[in-house]
Amino acid sequence: MYLDAIWLLNFAFDFLLLKMTGIILKRQVATWRLVAGAFIGSVIVVLMFTPAQFMVTHPFMKILFSLAMVFVAFGFHRLKSFLENLTVFYVTTFATGGGMLAVHYALQVDQRFANETIMTLTSGLGDPVSWLFVLVGFPILLYFSRKQFDSIETRRFKYDQLASITISIEGEVITLTALLDSGNQLFDPITKSPVMIAEISALQPLLTEELIQAVDSVTRTQAWPTFTQNTKWVDRIRIIPYRAVGKETTLMLAIKPDKAIIHHDHKSYETTKFLLGLTKTKLSSEGDYICIIHPKMLQGVVVEDVS
């Protein structure tokens, strides 16, 4: 049996568990604090081979060690934060332990693992699946966990900004899922009306083929489109200059709807002073929304409050 190898295995596990806890909670933690916390946790392995074994195997002592690990790694700023750190550390530990147990059973490795903990493994250099998990599995898990939690945070922010908008044009009504975007500062330079943007594919029930072709024409030629004399859209058409990041100023075709009702945060806002910019670009790669609302549109009349 190589005690130093067993100790190193458990030190690596403790370090990675603390690192995972920091990623989940978005804590900015110095590496030396994680190393110190992991070292405290790994000391229990050494004590397992001393006369103090009967003490360190007691559940109360294990809890004390975990408290010390979390305290050293993340500090103590207030009780709520400390308990949050401790809870996530335990959940991460149990989840990882469960995954390890599943791998052992799947590979039919030493079945005694079912009745032992990682710290009591004494088979030579340490359990091979545990080493494989530390050297290969855990780094992969850390990478994908960081990406996944960042994605969840981004999507949660998006969901907080999502709204439903009902647009009325010529007696036709359509309801769309929209994103409230404070970065949208697009205005009609003449009327100063705020401009929301919508995917033209979502508005096809309201638009004529002539208007869809006009959008293509403006995009392609950057000039005012031509319409037949009897079209109903002439009085509603606007051409809005705008500039995207990294691009030169270009033109967007917009129309003037009759009104819109925006449902957001348990309130409904009605507005008539706005334009509807049309784009063939997909606004959300995940399909979470199909139009972007100008923040000024929420300054309309509150027609309903269901909070």
Side-chain angles (χ1 to χ4, degrees):
M1 179 179 61
Y2 298 87
L3 181 58
D4 54 348
I6 301 297
W7 172 84
L8 181 61
L9 173 62
N10 284 271
F11 171 81
F13 254 97
D14 291 336
F15 177 85
L16 292 170
L17 288 170
L18 290 170
K19 181 69 174 178
M20 181 77 74
T21 301
I23 291 175
I24 293 174
L25 292 173
K26 301 246 183 231
R27 304 280 195 245
Q28 297 296 325
V29 186
T31 301
W32 72 265
R33 296 187 70 99
L34 297 177
V35 170
F39 178 79
I40 291 174
S42 64
V43 167
I44 197 172
V45 176
V46 179
L47 296 178
M48 288 285 294
F49 300 93
T50 69
Q53 178 183 9
F54 74 97
M55 293 180 56
V56 297
T57 55
H58 194 280
F60 179 73
M61 289 299 297
K62 292 181 179 179
I63 292 175
L64 286 182
F65 269 92
S66 64
L67 290 172
M69 290 173 62
V70 173
F71 174 78
V72 171
F74 301 103
F76 187 95
H77 303 288
R78 61 180 186 273
L79 181 61
K80 182 179 178 181
S81 296
F82 180 78
L83 292 177
E84 187 178 49
N85 295 336
L86 187 64
T87 300
V88 173
F89 175 72
Y90 280 147
V91 170
T92 303
T93 301
F94 294 150
T96 303
M100 288 285 296
L101 184 60
V103 172
H104 274 77
Y105 274 120
L107 300 180
Q108 295 183 340
V109 182
D110 189 3
Q111 296 299 314
R112 289 175 301 170
F113 182 83
N115 299 317
E116 298 173 352
T117 65
I118 294 172
M119 291 181 297
T120 60
L121 289 171
T122 57
S123 55
L125 291 172
D127 182 74
V129 173
S130 298
W131 276 111
L132 183 64
F133 204 74
V134 167
L135 297 177
V136 179
F138 231 132
I140 295 175
L141 184 62
L142 284 172
Y143 173 78
F144 283 105
S145 294
R146 185 188 297 273
K147 299 285 269 185
Q148 186 63 29
F149 280 107
D150 287 345
S151 175
I152 290 172
E153 284 295 314
T154 301
R155 291 179 67 86
R156 186 174 66 181
F157 169 76
K158 285 183 179 179
Y159 289 142
D160 289 341
Q161 302 301 315
L162 290 182
S164 174
I165 181 169
T166 301
I167 302 171
S168 301
I169 305 176
E170 296 284 339
E172 299 288 338
V173 177
I174 190 169
T175 300
L176 308 173
T177 302
L179 175 71
L180 291 170
D181 185 8
S182 59
N184 178 11
Q185 297 297 318
L186 189 59
F187 289 91
D188 178 5
I190 298 175
T191 65
K192 303 303 180 182
S193 297
V195 180
M196 64 171 289
I197 303 171
E199 297 177 16
I200 194 170
S201 59
L203 297 169
Q204 286 186 349
L206 300 182
L207 307 180
T208 63
E209 184 62 30
E210 185 179 26
L211 188 59
I212 295 175
Q213 292 176 359
V215 173
D216 289 331
S217 175
V218 171
T219 303
R220 185 177 63 259
T221 66
Q222 294 293 287
W224 187 275
T226 58
F227 292 97
T228 58
Q229 293 182 352
N230 60 350
T231 182
K232 64 179 181 180
W233 295 104
V234 172
D235 294 335
R236 294 181 180 271
I237 294 295
R238 306 288 189 276
I239 299 296
I240 308 298
Y242 74 99
R243 184 174 184 176
V245 177
K247 295 183 179 181
E248 297 181 354
T249 301
T250 186
L251 300 178
M252 173 187 292
L253 189 145
I255 57 176
K256 178 67 178 72
D258 296 319
K259 71 173 182 178
I261 298 178
I262 304 168
H263 309 279
H264 175 66
D265 196 21
H266 306 292
K267 292 183 179 180
S268 295
Y269 306 84
E270 181 176 321
T271 181
T272 57
K273 187 179 180 180
F274 75 103
L275 297 178
L276 178 57
L278 305 177
T279 180
K280 303 192 77 172
T281 303
K282 190 173 181 60
L283 298 177
S284 170
S285 58
E286 298 89 3
D288 294 333
Y289 52 90
I290 50 182
C291 60
I292 297 176
I293 296 177
H294 195 291
K296 288 287 186 180
M297 294 174 64
L298 292 184
Q299 295 181 356
V301 179
V302 178
V303 295
E304 184 182 0
D305 189 340
V306 294
S307 58

